[in-house]
Amino acid sequence: MHVYHNACKAKCLDACVVATDDERIAKAVRDHGGEVIMTDAACETSLERCLEVVNRLRRRASKWNARKKRGDSSSAEKQTTKASGDFDVVVCIDADEPFVQPHHIETAADLVINSDAVVGTLVRPGANEEDVTSADTVKVVTDEHDYALLFSREPVPKRCPMNSYDATVGYKIRVGIQACRCDFLEKYATLKGKSREYDKENASPPRWKNGKVIVDPDEPEQNRVVFAGHGVKVDVVEDSFVPGVKTPEDLRRLNAGLGTGLVNDLALTFLVA
């Protein structure tokens, strides 16, 4: 709910909803006064989920307009929120990013509003070797104009020896927020089959441990956009940004930071065990 309430404060957003296929999450959000749109569990990426949400909001707007033309002012319509209609940009925020603030949301949206990119996302500097080499973090390689060239769960860009951490490299790690042009979402859905075959050639290399190959983590969805030749614009968050909570170890570190004052955000004290 912390992520949801922060998102609602972003002035650039006309509406804010939680998209999920889990009834437990839906109930928790509704119990706290938030709006939920249930999506298909078959959605494989966040942008696919966003497309389903956008299409549902369009249908909702169409129904509302039809009711108005008939002069129908039912109580059901009055009780629903303003989340309906068509939008220029959709901003998807991962639920495990409690430190994303309204200005981060506005920055991500501006990346696609003020450029020819179809997707915009934020990155943070890699904190240390563990942060960079973890398969739980997505690393980003960009060109000189801050357009993404590759997203990988491996430590990229790489120097010899392969897969090793290099303290002299300025690694960029993606933050769980991305903006996308709504008119591109339909196109994104059509990239699914073709881009997946392409992804196999450009996928993150397999990870090894004790002489055995670890099962590859999911390939970053942004590669589907990049490999198809579309622009993904990137911006860097402030150095003080606190990474999201993706693993139990992340949660333990966050709680420790709150306890020692290293993380100074009283609104997050609910995370303390």
Side-chain angles (χ1 to χ4, degrees), residues 10-142:
K11 296 180 180 179
C12 67
L13 299 182
D14 293 320
C16 186
V17 300
V18 173
T20 183
D21 56 20
D22 192 319
E23 286 290 352
R24 296 168 299 175
I25 295 175
K27 182 179 184 304
V29 173
R30 294 188 183 108
D31 287 347
H32 286 82
E35 180 174 8
V36 177
I37 290 183
M38 299 301 296
T39 53
D40 193 335
C43 290
E44 296 180 345
T45 69
S46 59
L47 290 182
E48 288 180 2
R49 201 173 299 278
C50 285
L51 174 59
E52 183 175 352
V53 170
V54 168
N55 285 337
R56 290 196 177 197
L57 295 181
R58 288 170 177 166
R59 290 195 294 270
R60 177 187 291 181
S62 178
K63 291 180 180 179
W64 284 10
N65 290 334
R67 288 177 182 176
K68 289 180 180 179
K69 288 181 179 180
R70 297 195 305 266
D72 182 0
S73 57
S74 64
S75 58
E77 178 177 345
K78 293 179 181 179
Q79 293 174 356
T80 52
T81 73
K82 65 178 180 179
S84 65
D86 213 348
F87 304 94
D88 297 319
V89 174
V90 59
V91 181
C92 178
I93 310 162
D94 292 352
D96 55 12
E97 293 286 358
F99 293 96
V100 166
Q101 299 296 317
H103 71 274
H104 297 132
I105 298 170
E106 292 160 7
T107 298
D110 285 343
L111 288 174
V112 294
I113 293 173
N114 299 322
S115 76
D116 60 351
V118 296
V119 173
T121 190
L122 304 183
V123 297
R124 60 176 177 82
N128 49 43
E129 181 174 0
E130 183 180 0
D131 186 32
V132 171
T133 58
S134 171
D136 294 314
T137 60
V138 174
K139 278 64 69 174
V140 188
V141 180
T142 60

Side-chain angles (χ1 to χ4, degrees), residues 13 36 55 78 93 102 142 171 184 191 203-204 220 224 234 242 249 252-253 266:
L13 299 182
V36 177
N55 285 337
K78 293 179 181 179
I93 310 162
T142 60
Y171 295 101
F184 177 74
L191 299 177
S204 304
R224 186 188 299 184
V234 172
V242 180
E249 181 59 28
R252 285 191 290 270
R253 290 175 180 172
L266 297 180

Side-chain angles (χ1 to χ4, degrees), residues 238-258:
E238 61 274 16
D239 291 340
S240 59
F241 180 81
V242 180
V245 182
K246 301 184 182 303
T247 67
E249 181 59 28
D250 290 340
L251 181 58
R252 285 191 290 270
R253 290 175 180 172
L254 176 59
N255 287 335
L258 286 166

Side-chain angles (χ1 to χ4, degrees), residues 141-203:
V141 180
T142 60
D143 64 15
E144 65 273 21
H145 301 296
D146 296 323
Y147 282 86
L149 300 174
L150 175 70
F151 293 81
S152 176
R153 296 186 183 275
E154 290 295 316
V156 292
K158 297 178 180 178
R159 296 177 180 174
C160 291
M162 292 294 287
N163 300 338
S164 63
Y165 171 77
D166 187 339
T168 66
V169 174
Y171 295 101
K172 300 173 182 176
I173 295 180
R174 197 183 84 82
V175 176
I177 176 175
Q178 61 183 334
C180 181
R181 296 182 184 275
C182 282
D183 57 7
F184 177 74
L185 287 173
E186 297 282 355
K187 175 68 175 179
Y188 175 81
T190 68
L191 299 177
K192 182 174 181 179
K194 180 173 66 175
S195 66
R196 284 207 163 187
E197 291 302 314
Y198 194 78
D199 285 359
K200 291 178 181 178
E201 299 178 4
N202 296 274

